[in-house]
Amino acid sequence: MDTLELIADSDIFGKTTENLGERTTFQPWHKPRKHWIRIHQWCSCVQELLAREEFSDISVLNYFGMPGEDCLDIQTIGQSLSNGKKIKYFGIEKSEMTQYQSIVESKLHDAPYISDDSKIYNKTQFEELDKEASKITNDIFLENPFHIINIDLTASLFPPSKGTTMWNALLRLLSYQFDMQPRTWLLFLTTRCDKASIDECFINEKFSVFLNNYQNENFRHIINTEIKKITNDDILEKEILLGDDCYEKIILLTIIKMILKNAVAKNVHMCTESVISYRIEKTSCNPEMHSIVLRFTKEKNVSDATVAPDEETKKRMDAKEVDIASRSGHKVASCKNVDDILTEYPEIKSDMANKTKEMLKNIGYDITQYIYDR
């Protein structure tokens, strides 16, 4: 099924007919721009993943995410699958299970693209993965590794005073994937990157991973000319790099670099597939929210972990990291603002609004009250 022709009728979604009651409060993730991201960023990357030869024998995609009450992300990705493929989702929700969510999940389980052993853990925070002995950590380690991980946050990945905890949680999940997933897999990460949303103490501690690459002439050229918009390759001071003109992009690149460094250390190739941004506050100078897709592939080379890498190997790894970081820099520098796309192409905005309304109608919303298509 072409991702541009996704539909959301009740036959595709599920057969449960229990009355949900009409809901009239619409959330930011009901906006047309979010559905554009689901279809044109996430589903497109999933289709490219499934086109790989290594996925020809995969009938069930293992998915980790934060589905929310409406489960729109899972619905959209599931409806984009073809050839009878299914999603087995492992979801976490910080709130208790509501009656509404219970009914939505029952409808979701009726859908032909959902594996029966999918589950959602309620009253569970992502940062609980920071604890080795937590139930969520133990249960994840009992699962097969994921093909898709979707960390879709309404705030920052590293919120004030929680940067270290959130990073450790993400790192535990990534490390499990790096060690256990032999196939290519995708990470969707949505996070605010503005100064007010970031744990600055934590970022200051980790900023060296950015500065180390910034010493490289090629990487520095991209940062200076494409992001900072200056015409020379002088080494800029940290305070200038983190200036208000492009703070969000530098923070996003720092996050990408942190993940990249750990991937390279585990012989995993990383590619920044897609970067999209949008504004939360209309008065913001720069888009605060960024949605990125990273692709990971385990490399087949054999190395002896009991032997320290020689100087030549270290140089090769460093050069590889800088090369990938430079390509990521290009992606971040040229990232599109989805709101600008929808303003330029109102017919696409209308299409995304209509598809969203159809999905919401099927789960009990009064779409005559929908406010985001005006």
Side-chain angles (χ1 to χ4, degrees):
M1 184 186 297
D2 189 329
T3 56
L4 299 182
E5 297 176 351
L6 287 171
I7 57 175
D9 62 44
S10 57
D11 290 336
I12 287 183
F13 178 46
K15 299 180 177 63
T16 298
T17 57
E18 186 172 347
N19 183 20
L20 295 167
E22 287 195 331
R23 294 166 70 89
T24 57
T25 301
F26 296 92
Q27 304 295 342
W29 51 89
H30 296 151
K31 290 183 177 182
R33 69 184 183 192
K34 188 63 180 184
H35 207 55
W36 188 97
I37 286 171
R38 292 187 190 104
I39 292 179
H40 293 275
Q41 188 183 42
W42 297 349
C43 288
S44 292
C45 288
V46 170
Q47 294 300 319
E48 290 175 8
L49 182 74
L50 293 178
R52 290 171 168 260
E53 179 64 29
E54 61 186 301
F55 277 85
S56 60
D57 62 341
I58 294 292
S59 59
V60 177
L61 291 177
N62 296 326
Y63 173 99
F64 175 92
M66 304 164 180
E69 274 197 325
D70 305 319
C71 298
L72 297 181
D73 302 345
I74 295 172
Q75 289 182 53
T76 306
I77 295 171
Q79 290 170 23
S80 75
L81 302 180
S82 57
N83 301 323
K85 293 188 186 295
K86 296 186 176 186
I87 285 181
K88 175 187 174 184
Y89 64 80
F90 186 112
I92 59 171
E93 276 299 313
K94 60 184 178 182
S95 58
E96 291 191 40
M97 171 78 76
T98 63
Q99 182 183 14
Y100 170 77
Q101 184 186 5
S102 177
I103 296 171
V104 169
E105 194 179 355
S106 293
K107 285 175 68 70
L108 191 60
H109 272 268
D110 286 338
Y113 51 80
I114 295 297
S115 174
D116 291 339
D117 47 0
S118 298
K119 54 195 168 189
I120 294 177
Y121 285 70
N122 285 85
K123 298 174 66 175
T124 302
Q125 304 269 12
F126 179 72
E127 53 262 42
E128 290 176 39
L129 280 168
D130 176 40
K131 302 170 185 173
E132 188 173 4
S134 70
K135 176 174 173 51
I136 188 69
T137 300
N138 289 330
D139 285 1
I140 281 178
F141 287 173
L142 293 174
E143 295 285 324
N144 289 324
F146 302 103
H147 303 109
I148 303 167
I149 292 179
N150 188 351
I151 310 298
D152 188 5
L153 302 166
T154 56
S156 170
L157 176 61
F158 304 133
S161 78
K162 285 189 175 182
T164 299
T165 300
M166 290 292 284
W167 170 243
N168 288 341
L170 178 61
L171 187 58
R172 190 181 301 281
L173 185 57
L174 292 177
S175 296
Y176 174 66
Q177 289 287 116
F178 293 156
D179 289 337
M180 303 302 293
Q181 180 54 276
R183 298 178 194 264
T184 302
W185 61 280
L186 300 173
L187 171 65
F188 305 158
L189 177 60
T190 306
T191 178
R192 288 185 69 142
C193 294
D194 55 305
K195 194 172 292 188
S197 303
I198 289 287
D199 185 339
E200 287 198 86
C201 290
F202 172 77
I203 286 296
N204 284 333
E205 291 174 9
K206 298 296 184 181
F207 198 62
S208 60
V209 299
F210 179 94
L211 293 177
N212 287 343
N213 278 170
Y214 189 64
Q215 303 306 309
N216 176 272
E217 186 176 345
N218 290 336
F219 183 76
R220 186 167 66 251
H221 179 76
I222 293 168
I223 300 303
N224 286 11
T225 61
E226 297 185 27
I227 294 181
K228 296 298 290 185
K229 306 294 186 185
I230 61 176
T231 57
N232 62 66
D233 292 338
D234 293 346
I235 295 178
L236 302 177
E237 296 293 330
K238 176 181 174 182
E239 291 73 19
I240 297 176
L241 286 169
L242 290 172
D244 292 341
D245 58 327
C246 55
Y247 180 89
E248 293 82 4
K249 287 185 176 181
I250 297 296
I251 292 299
L252 182 62
L253 259 178
T254 301
I255 294 172
I256 292 172
K257 272 293 290 103
M258 290 166 63
I259 296 172
L260 171 61
K261 192 170 186 65
N262 283 277
V264 170
K266 291 293 186 79
N267 288 322
V268 174
H269 178 78
M270 188 187 97
C271 174
T272 302
E273 288 278 281
S274 173
V275 183
I276 296 294
S277 67
Y278 52 93
R279 282 181 174 81
I280 303 299
E281 305 293 340
K282 290 183 179 179
T283 56
S284 299
C285 295
N286 301 316
E288 309 99 317
M289 190 69 83
H290 288 79
S291 175
I292 64 173
V293 178
L294 305 178
R295 188 185 74 232
F296 300 91
T297 305
K298 189 79 173 176
E299 298 187 333
K300 305 295 188 210
N301 58 306
V302 177
S303 59
D304 186 352
T306 66
V307 178
D310 56 30
E311 200 61 37
E312 192 60 36
T313 301
K314 285 182 180 178
K315 286 182 180 178
R316 204 162 51 243
M317 289 175 66
D318 289 345
K320 179 179 172 183
E321 185 182 332
V322 170
D323 179 57
I324 297 173
S326 298
R327 280 180 270 157
S328 298
H330 280 303
K331 289 276 189 178
V332 171
S334 60
C335 80
K336 297 276 197 297
N337 183 330
V338 66
D339 288 321
D340 292 342
I341 295 173
L342 297 184
T343 298
E344 184 176 357
Y345 299 100
E347 69 280 8
I348 296 179
K349 180 178 179 180
S350 177
D351 185 42
M352 295 299 100
N354 288 336
K355 284 182 168 65
T356 301
K357 285 192 290 185
E358 189 63 30
M359 296 179 81
L360 293 174
K361 179 181 177 182
N362 291 333
I363 51 177
Y365 281 82
D366 177 5
I367 60 170
T368 64
Q369 303 299 311
Y370 186 77
I371 59 176
Y372 297 129
D373 56 351
R374 299 168 188 169

